């Protein structure tokens, strides 16, 4: 007998009235009105069922530390980095684990079942690496946590960072990180990209660098990253995160850069909530948005995901693990308001980041892991508009979270509203 069946679902590709059957933690059948009996049934009532949300860019070692040891007054990236430097000596493993576990609970409740988190490896004790490796094991039954060895202070600028990065990889961290724009010079930045890509190629690892996170149109480390990706045959395994300088670059230069990125198989991650608040800080008016060129990269065939990046940490006081909020902001900042563009924003927090992380068994096909979210929305666009409730979150065929639909559906056209406006008169 089938373990669980979802009836009458709409899928992200637009198919309607679809049933999804689940057994042994896998999807066993997908189709209209499946003639199967199941131990448990969920009526999707025509709502959207999607594979889980995936966050391709996060910092779980810093999350939920807002106000420790003080608040970022200017709200800038540089004060955030300075503040993180003040906080690091005060961190304890216990507190790191506790905050990360709390964030993972939030994530699961919002249908976010895979997160790529950077972990700062510049502290010689690798306290945060140990803590997040522990968390990764603890949350494995319900959330895939992929870790990136992130040299916050630069691998050439900090004397021990590259050795620490290699130790972190030996301990079990999955991905090689970098921060070329934070090295002392452009030349050092380019050299750091070469060293890190060669190391990752040797080890057969993926790469995800914080790259060109500035408004400087001449910060062009993404070109170097694409060059080495191509040279080392690492197509499909390398990602440039942020790429905000591309917003300010010369258009002619970008017309050459995008085909190079495509040829190299490099993916991109924009972090709309953070980019729109941290970039353009040196501008008066007009103020640049600072987010990278998302629609242009998509048109050039470059995979682009949207990340949360920060939640209640030295850089950002808000954030809640809600990838629909992230997609909502990305849609606005990139002015992606056409129907296809809005659907692309939904893909940027589901399918595309899953591809960037290299998740196995992701999707709603037969044979995929039975991981999915039933949303209180008719389709992907409505899901973004309403930041829709996650009615059911399912992991390996088991319901891991439920959220009731909001009581008053004031904002759903054509649906009954049960609010009495005469109350109190
Ligand atoms: Zn980041």
């Amino acid at each position: 007998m089938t373990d669980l069946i979802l009836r009458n679902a709409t899928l992200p590709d637009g198919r309607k009235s679809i049933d999804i059957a689940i057994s042994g933690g896998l999807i066993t059948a997908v189709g209209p009105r499946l003639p199967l009996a199941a131990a448990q049934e969920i009526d999707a009532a025509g709502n959207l069922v999607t594979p889980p949300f995936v966050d391709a860019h996060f910092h779980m070692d810093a999350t939920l530390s807002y106000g420790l040891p003080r608040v970022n007054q200017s709200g800038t990236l540089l004060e955030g980095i300075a503040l993180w430097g003040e906080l690091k000596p005060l961190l304890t493993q216990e507190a790191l684990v506790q905050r990360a576990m709390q964030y993972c609970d939030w994530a699961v409740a919002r249908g976010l079942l895979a997160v790529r988190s950077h972990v700062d490896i510049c502290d010689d004790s690798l306290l945060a690496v140990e803590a997040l490796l522990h968390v990764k094991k603890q949350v494995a039954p319900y959330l895939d946590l992929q870790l990136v060895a992130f040299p916050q202070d630069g691998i050439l600028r900090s004397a021990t960072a590259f050795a620490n990065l290699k130790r972190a990889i030996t301990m079990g961290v999955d991905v090689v990180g970098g921060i070329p724009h934070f090295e002392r010079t452009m030349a050092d930045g380019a050299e750091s990209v070469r060293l890190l890509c060669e190391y990752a190629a040797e080890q057969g690892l993926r790469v995800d660098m914080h790259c060109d996170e500035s408004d400087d149109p001449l910060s062009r480390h993404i070109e170097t990253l694409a060059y080495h990706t191509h040279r080392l045959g690492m197509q499909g395994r390398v990602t440039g995160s942020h790429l905000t300088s591309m917003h300010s670059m010369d258009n002619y230069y970008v017309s050459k850069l995008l085909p190079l990125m495509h040829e190299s198989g490099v993916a991109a991650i924009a972090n709309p909530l953070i980019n729109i608040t941290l970039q353009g800080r040196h501008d008066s008016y007009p103020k640049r948005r600072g987010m990278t060129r998302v629609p242009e990269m998509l048109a050039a065939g470059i995979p682009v995901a949207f990340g949360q990046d920060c939640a209640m940490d030295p850089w950002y006081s808000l954030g809640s693990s809600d990838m629909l909020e992230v997609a909502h902001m990305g849609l606005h900042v990139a002015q992606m308001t056409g129907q296809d563009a809005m659907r692309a924003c939904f893909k940027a927090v589901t399918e595309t980041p899953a591809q960037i992380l290299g998740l196995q068994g992701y999707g709603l096909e037969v044979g995929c892991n039975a991981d999915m979210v039933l949303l209180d929305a008719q389709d992907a666009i409505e899901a973004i508009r309403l930041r829709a409730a996650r009615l059911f979150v399912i992991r390996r065929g088991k319901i891991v979270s439920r959220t009731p639909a909001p009581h008053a559906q004031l904002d759903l056209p054509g649906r009954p509203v049960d609010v009495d406006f005469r109350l109190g008169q």
Side-chain angles (χ1 to χ4, degrees), residues 6 18 38 63 90 102 104-105 108 113 125 129 195 202 204 215 218 243 250 252 266-267 327 337 355 371 386 407 409:
L6 279 86
I18 299 295
T63 197
L90 310 175
Q102 179 166 12
C104 289
D105 283 351
V108 171
L113 300 188
S125 74
V129 171
L195 289 168
E202 239 172 63
D215 296 312
L218 295 178
L243 308 180
D250 172 70
Y252 186 85
V266 169
T337 52
Q355 177 196 334
D371 300 348
L386 299 173
H407 175 63
Q409 295 286 20

Side-chain angles (χ1 to χ4, degrees), residues 57-59 118 150 152 210 213 241-242 271 274 309-310:
H57 190 111
F58 193 62
H59 294 264
H118 294 255
F150 173 49
Q152 174 76 73
H210 283 63
E213 189 181 4
S241 278
H242 292 294
N271 298 298
I274 308 309
D309 198 3
C310 300

Side-chain angles (χ1 to χ4, degrees), residues 258 261-263 265-267 295-304 355:
L258 297 188
M261 288 174 70
H262 180 246
E263 181 191 12
V266 169
E296 292 77 9
M297 283 197 280
L298 289 171
I302 299 160
V304 184
Q355 177 196 334

Side-chain angles (χ1 to χ4, degrees), residues 91-290:
L91 292 173
T92 66
Q93 188 149 3
E94 203 183 9
L96 272 166
V97 168
Q98 189 251 324
R99 290 195 286 259
M101 292 296 288
Q102 179 166 12
Y103 185 82
C104 289
D105 283 351
W106 292 7
V108 171
R110 289 179 175 87
L112 169 57
L113 300 188
V115 176
R116 173 183 277 184
S117 172
H118 294 255
V119 50
D120 187 357
I121 50 79
C122 288
D123 148 44
D124 291 340
S125 74
L126 295 182
L127 183 84
V129 171
E130 274 180 19
L132 290 195
L133 283 169
H134 174 72
V135 170
K136 178 179 165 147
K137 227 180 271 170
Q138 294 290 112
V139 301
Y142 55 95
L143 184 146
D144 295 304
L145 178 58
Q146 189 178 79
L147 297 176
V148 186
F150 173 49
Q152 174 76 73
D153 303 332
I155 59 147
L156 296 173
R157 205 164 173 170
S158 152
T160 53
F162 204 7
N164 288 353
L165 183 145
K166 291 175 180 171
R167 271 168 58 214
I169 295 290
T170 314
M171 287 162 71
V173 170
D174 310 276
V175 179
V176 175
I179 187 163
H181 58 275
F182 196 74
E183 302 290 355
R184 287 190 180 90
T185 63
M186 289 289 180
D188 269 10
E191 177 65 0
S192 78
V193 173
R194 182 183 72 81
L195 289 168
L196 290 163
C197 284
E198 286 180 357
Y199 170 69
E202 239 172 63
Q203 302 290 318
L205 298 171
R206 288 172 189 269
V207 173
D208 186 342
M209 291 192 195
H210 283 63
C211 197
D212 305 324
E213 189 181 4
S214 80
D215 296 312
D216 174 5
L218 295 178
S219 186
R220 295 174 169 187
H221 296 296
I222 180 58
E223 181 188 82
T224 311
L225 184 63
Y227 168 74
H228 289 298
T229 302
H230 187 264
R231 179 176 70 86
L232 296 164
M234 299 177 75
Q235 287 89 343
R237 290 196 282 135
V238 176
T239 302
S241 278
H242 292 294
L243 308 180
T244 51
S245 74
M246 196 191 292
H247 186 94
S248 301
M249 283 174 185
D250 172 70
N251 289 331
Y252 186 85
Y253 174 73
V254 174
S255 75
K256 178 168 178 266
L257 174 64
L258 297 188
L260 173 70
M261 288 174 70
H262 180 246
E263 181 191 12
S264 310
V266 169
I269 299 170
N271 298 298
L273 295 160
I274 308 309
N275 300 151
I276 195 71
T277 45
L278 291 185
Q279 302 305 313
R281 288 282 182 148
H282 291 208
D283 295 354
S284 56
Y285 287 95
K287 269 185 202 289
R288 285 167 288 179
R289 290 163 192 236

